[in-house]
Amino acid sequence: MNYEASVRYLLSLGRELAAPTQAAAAKFDLENITILAERLGNPQRAYPSAHIAGTNGKGSTAAFLESILRHAGFRTGLNTSPHLEKINERIRINSDEISDEAFAETFTRVHVLIEELLASGKLRAHPTYFECVTAMAFEYFARQRVEFAVFEVGLGGRLDATNILSPVVTVITRIDFDHENFLGHSLREIAAEKAGILKPEVPLVLAEQSLEAREVILARASELGCPVIEPSQIFRLDQESMRDGSARACVIESDSAKIFELAPSLPGRFQLQNALNAAAAASLLQNRGFKIPDASITQGIDNTVWPGRLEKLQSAPDIYLDGAHNPGAARELAHFLQQNFSGRKIYVIYAALRDKAVDEVAGLLFPHAAEVIFTAPRTSRAVSAAQLAEIAGHHAAHFSVIPDAERAFDRALAQAAPQDTIFITGSLYLVGQLRHYWKTRAQVATR
């Protein structure tokens, strides 16, 4: 198949998540990916890997760790989800997206084996969209001879397709409420699903957690004999400050007394925690014999790029993208607004998917906005703009309803003065769609 046909076929399988009403009927287990990986020769065993789960910060932590390893000279693989603009973003070598040609070749190879396994009865059902892309990442990284691969969990952990990995380190970032229809309605239930990525005696880097989540994870780690490293316990922060919305800190490792001057380029104080997760994982790998110079930890963190998470597109007016789609992420974004934009007029372009805590997110974000524009991205999982206004309009001082996302963006740009700020948030689908539109708009303007 060529690239376009490959992507069309994958989309015909459905996206990562069913609608909430279908959650009970959805098939989530490791049978498909295990059989498919075995037929491929278990390519995921060809290289050492890190496996990262959590509710918020797992993508940023994965990006930080990959950058550290790349700066240390490793040929890296990075597998993340979801993508913003193009599916190729999910599979990267040395931070470069897989090419269209390589994507089509890899998908075709995997597809042929799937058809063979279905015909022989070894597969009872066709692998899902996410299972196929995960298998492609396993296979492509092996063929490209990566020296270390970093994998972000798609959903939960225990039954996620990435969970057939045998990693050298696991990381669990901050756990909060999200995807409750799939993962459970308490932090203890959600934490149990995330802790499903733990493997016997494989060390765990555990970010700061609520008491109930931490108890569940530590209990599981103890059962499996996993050493636990908590960044909040092994690092001490000194001279912490904010500059242009980004955190800066002198970080001292307690045991070794090493000092790291960390200045992540990613905005938001919370990115310092994600950077420390990655630094702790890198320190652990150093102790396991991986050659990672201390300077690579600093350089890797300072130079990490992770689009769509407090990403600034332009100034005058400032335009930011942030996929704050759950209460934990919304709290961090609200804190960022309070710290950096107090007294400025803020426009929020907001959309959400059906399985999200819209009212809670709106209650956190909308009090900071002079105007909220409700809209919707092009996905069947989106809540309509009109319905969003009914659910959450009471949290906004002023709001308007513009169903077409591009028109909503144009409206905000037309109204905003140079000193104002526009935040596009609530859904990564919206962020990706308007990120693409902004780039296209800028290209047209320069012609």
Side-chain angles (χ1 to χ4, degrees):
M1 289 190 205
N2 63 21
Y3 176 75
E4 289 75 17
S6 299
V7 174
R8 271 200 310 274
Y9 190 94
L10 282 165
L11 289 174
S12 75
L13 301 174
R15 287 300 186 103
E16 285 94 335
L17 299 178
T21 52
Q22 299 171 305
K27 180 180 180 291
F28 292 114
D29 59 38
L30 299 179
E31 181 182 330
N32 276 351
I33 191 66
T34 300
I35 292 168
L36 181 52
E38 284 175 354
R39 181 63 184 85
L40 287 164
N42 283 313
Q44 76 280 4
R45 298 178 186 168
Y47 38 80
S49 61
H51 198 196
I52 303 176
T55 305
N56 293 312
K58 64 184 188 292
S60 299
T61 298
F64 279 127
L65 181 55
E66 183 279 331
S67 183
I68 290 169
L69 291 161
R70 181 163 32 89
H71 279 79
F74 288 85
R75 180 169 173 79
T76 59
L78 178 63
N79 175 224
T80 58
S81 63
H83 59 271
L84 292 180
E85 297 180 56
K86 193 174 182 182
I87 194 171
N88 306 49
E89 297 166 25
R90 295 171 181 243
I91 303 174
R92 298 173 185 260
I93 302 282
N94 279 349
S95 82
D96 294 327
E97 296 172 14
I98 185 173
S99 69
D100 291 356
E101 295 75 20
F103 187 98
E105 287 169 10
T106 306
F107 174 74
T108 300
R109 192 158 49 247
V110 170
H111 176 66
V112 167
L113 295 182
I114 288 171
E115 292 297 316
E116 175 192 302
L117 290 166
L118 286 168
S120 66
K122 292 178 181 176
L123 273 179
R124 290 185 295 166
H126 197 293
T128 64
Y129 171 103
F130 186 77
E131 287 169 335
C132 289
V133 177
T134 301
M136 290 170 63
F138 290 162
E139 169 77 354
Y140 186 63
F141 291 164
R143 286 182 177 264
Q144 290 294 309
R145 300 183 184 277
V146 304
E147 296 165 318
F148 203 107
V150 179
F151 289 87
E152 177 192 5
V153 165
L155 172 67
R158 183 175 62 93
L159 299 178
D160 189 76
T162 59
N163 202 28
I164 63 167
L165 289 167
S166 298
V168 293
V169 61
T170 55
V171 182
I172 297 181
T173 65
R174 181 81 179 177
I175 291 172
D176 211 318
F177 289 100
D178 201 5
H179 301 305
E180 291 94 324
N181 287 303
F182 297 89
L183 304 180
H185 293 272
S186 72
L187 286 180
R188 296 188 71 86
E189 288 176 303
I190 295 170
E193 291 297 319
K194 308 290 186 185
I197 71 166
L198 300 186
K199 303 294 186 296
E201 299 181 5
V202 175
L204 165 68
V205 173
L206 180 61
E208 197 170 347
Q209 303 289 343
S210 66
L211 181 62
E212 57 265 54
R214 185 172 181 272
E215 283 178 351
V216 169
I217 295 166
L218 290 181
R220 183 61 178 156
S222 178
E223 284 175 24
L224 296 173
C226 303
V228 178
I229 297 92
E230 297 183 77
S232 60
Q233 294 183 5
I234 67 166
F235 293 125
R236 180 165 58 83
L237 298 186
D238 192 23
Q239 300 172 27
E240 190 179 344
S241 64
M242 298 293 293
R243 187 180 307 161
D244 299 326
S246 297
R248 302 284 184 272
C250 175
V251 178
I252 303 163
E253 191 174 41
S254 303
D255 288 348
S256 65
K258 288 180 187 174
I259 297 174
F260 302 95
E261 297 284 349
L262 297 188
S265 58
L266 304 184
R269 189 190 179 283
F270 60 92
Q271 290 295 3
L272 190 56
Q273 175 64 64
N274 296 329
L276 291 175
N277 295 338
S283 178
L284 188 150
L285 292 172
Q286 285 177 323
N287 294 334
R288 296 277 168 132
F290 289 87
K291 293 181 180 178
I292 303 172
D294 291 344
S296 299
I297 296 177
T298 303
Q299 293 164 4
I301 286 170
D302 291 0
N303 294 301
T304 298
V305 176
W306 193 232
R309 283 74 173 179
L310 280 176
E311 179 186 9
K312 188 176 182 180
L313 294 183
Q314 71 169 55
S315 300
D318 292 345
I319 301 175
Y320 283 86
L321 302 169
D322 190 64
H325 57 271
N326 59 45
R331 275 192 292 273
E332 296 291 1
L333 177 53
H335 186 63
F336 182 76
L337 293 173
Q338 195 170 17
Q339 273 196 327
N340 298 282
F341 296 92
S342 182
R344 290 179 59 179
K345 187 172 186 179
I346 295 172
Y347 292 85
V348 168
I349 303 175
Y350 181 80
L353 303 188
R354 287 195 300 268
D355 59 338
K356 300 304 177 182
V358 170
D359 191 59
E360 189 175 352
V361 169
L364 290 162
L365 293 181
F366 293 1
H368 299 279
E371 181 173 351
V372 175
I373 303 175
F374 292 108
T375 190
R378 286 187 290 275
T379 170
S380 59
R381 292 175 55 211
V383 182
S384 73
Q387 193 176 0
L388 279 179
E390 286 180 24
I391 297 169
H394 63 282
H395 290 294
H398 300 282
F399 72 83
S400 53
V401 177
I402 304 178
D404 182 272
E406 286 80 3
R407 280 191 55 232
F409 194 9
D410 287 339
R411 163 81 173 275
L413 282 167
Q415 288 188 331
Q419 66 272 20
D420 297 341
T421 305
I422 299 169
F423 275 85
I424 298 164
T425 190
S427 162
L428 280 169
Y429 284 88
L430 178 71
V431 165
Q433 185 175 319
L434 292 187
R435 187 175 193 267
H436 178 73
Y437 178 63
W438 180 82
K439 290 197 296 189
T440 306
R441 212 171 172 274
Q443 287 166 2
V444 170
T446 56
R447 283 176 189 166

